[in-house]
Amino acid sequence: MEEIRILIIEDEKPAARSLNRKLEGLGYPVMDMLHSVKQAKQWFTENKHPDLIFLDIQLSDGLSFEIFEDIEIKSAIIFTTAYDDYAIKAFKLNSIDYLLKPVDEEELVFALEKFKEWHTQRPALDYQELKKLLTAAETNYRERLTIKVGQNIKILTIKDIVCFFSENKGTYAYTAADDTYLLDQTLEELENTLDPHTFFRISRRYIINIHCIKQIHVHSTSRLRIQLQHYPGTEVIVSRERVGDFKKWLG
């Protein structure tokens, strides 16, 4: 069989690099790694489409089905996702296979073998059905983050994160276990993937977890200061322009 042209579309860069290493270790070189709907749309207009796409469902700027709205893609798809609650129905109907993150190498090998069996006679994907299924699932917000720690991939549970903050051009997650982790995403990218009932962007620097608010202090006539459980930082300030929305969010 001729060499398979493979593309990875995954917004979490450590997860993308991990999958790339696994594929290359199995003898499957990857053409490119993309991280957003916008980037993918541009790539497909400028490059020959691959044989196989490993596609994350939730990208930094939207759901991955949005790629198909403007671009006719005939590639086979293996979905990679952290959302196992609705993945089975959507992905078994509309793809070669789906893999839960972090991707297990044995399951990856099985999915690749499945692709090779179906390579010449795979059924066309029903993108309208896919769109309907994924739109229905859009309210399933991110439940986990994968991050690189040294040579390892660590999984963070979203509900255990006290806050996300930016500092010295980096974006960090601070957890209830008093650990701080550097992330690849910006606060803007994270904000769109978090449950708005639980997380709120109080300023340019902070997104906070409502369940971790210990006390709220009047900081000035137009701003508030938040004391978070576990978090040692004292200057967690609700910006002037966000105070009104923050009070509504608190209910």
Side-chain angles (χ1 to χ4, degrees):
M1 184 176 181
E2 64 183 35
E3 182 177 292
I4 300 171
R5 292 172 295 114
I6 295 177
L7 177 69
I8 295 173
I9 306 178
E10 161 67 67
D11 71 324
E12 297 179 8
K13 293 179 182 178
R17 290 193 291 265
S18 175
L19 178 57
N20 182 35
R21 285 193 299 271
K22 285 186 171 79
L23 286 166
E24 292 190 341
L26 293 168
Y28 295 93
V30 174
M31 299 169 64
D32 209 342
M33 292 187 290
L34 311 176
H35 308 294
S36 69
V37 172
K38 181 179 179 181
Q39 189 180 18
K41 285 182 178 181
Q42 182 176 347
W43 190 94
F44 281 114
T45 61
E46 299 172 351
N47 296 273
K48 183 179 179 181
H49 292 199
D51 299 308
L52 176 61
I53 303 170
F54 284 86
L55 181 64
D56 187 12
I57 181 174
Q58 177 71 65
L59 301 174
S60 60
D61 56 349
L63 289 172
S64 56
F65 76 79
E66 295 172 21
I67 299 168
F68 311 139
E69 294 180 350
D70 298 329
I71 307 291
E72 183 181 357
I73 298 174
K74 297 181 180 179
S75 310
I77 293 175
I78 295 175
F79 282 100
T80 59
T81 179
Y83 299 119
D84 54 354
D85 51 349
Y86 64 83
I88 294 175
K89 183 179 179 182
F91 304 148
K92 280 194 173 179
L93 287 176
N94 293 279
S95 68
I96 293 296
D97 208 343
Y98 78 97
L99 300 169
L100 293 179
K101 295 189 288 186
V103 174
D104 178 80
E105 190 163 319
E106 287 187 11
E107 293 180 358
L108 175 60
V109 170
F110 181 76
L112 288 165
E113 290 301 317
K114 232 166 119 177
F115 164 74
K116 286 191 285 187
E117 287 177 13
W118 296 357
H119 183 52
T120 56
Q121 52 184 357
R122 61 181 179 271
L125 301 189
D126 184 344
Y127 291 124
Q128 290 304 313
E129 178 66 14
L130 178 63
K131 178 178 178 179
K132 183 171 68 176
L133 288 166
L134 296 187
T135 301
E138 191 171 9
T139 54
N140 289 268
Y141 296 100
R142 187 186 293 276
E143 296 178 357
R144 293 179 288 275
L145 274 177
T146 55
I147 59 170
K148 185 177 181 181
V149 181
Q151 297 302 311
N152 301 312
I153 300 294
K154 184 175 178 64
I155 301 173
L156 296 183
T157 303
I158 291 293
K159 67 180 182 179
D160 294 332
I161 296 176
V162 176
C163 66
F164 298 93
F165 65 94
S166 61
E167 187 174 273
N168 298 326
K169 298 183 179 180
T171 303
Y172 300 86
Y174 188 86
T175 72
D178 297 325
D179 294 316
T180 303
Y181 298 98
L182 177 65
L183 308 177
D184 282 322
Q185 300 94 330
T186 65
L187 289 184
E188 287 72 22
E189 291 168 345
L190 286 166
E191 188 176 9
N192 295 325
T193 67
L194 299 172
D195 184 348
H197 293 99
T198 302
F199 290 91
F200 187 83
R201 180 81 178 268
I202 63 169
S203 67
R204 291 182 180 180
R205 287 195 59 201
Y206 283 97
I207 297 174
I208 66 170
N209 185 336
I210 192 170
H211 302 299
C212 296
I213 296 175
K214 187 175 181 180
Q215 286 186 321
I216 302 173
H217 306 274
V218 175
H219 184 69
S220 66
T221 55
S222 57
R223 294 194 297 171
L224 301 171
R225 179 168 62 84
I226 309 299
Q227 185 178 354
L228 296 170
Q229 297 173 4
H230 308 285
Y231 186 65
T234 57
E235 291 299 307
V236 182
I237 306 297
V238 183
S239 64
R240 183 179 293 105
E241 62 271 18
R242 300 293 285 159
V243 167
D245 289 338
F246 175 70
K247 289 180 177 178
K248 291 178 184 177
W249 176 67
L250 290 174

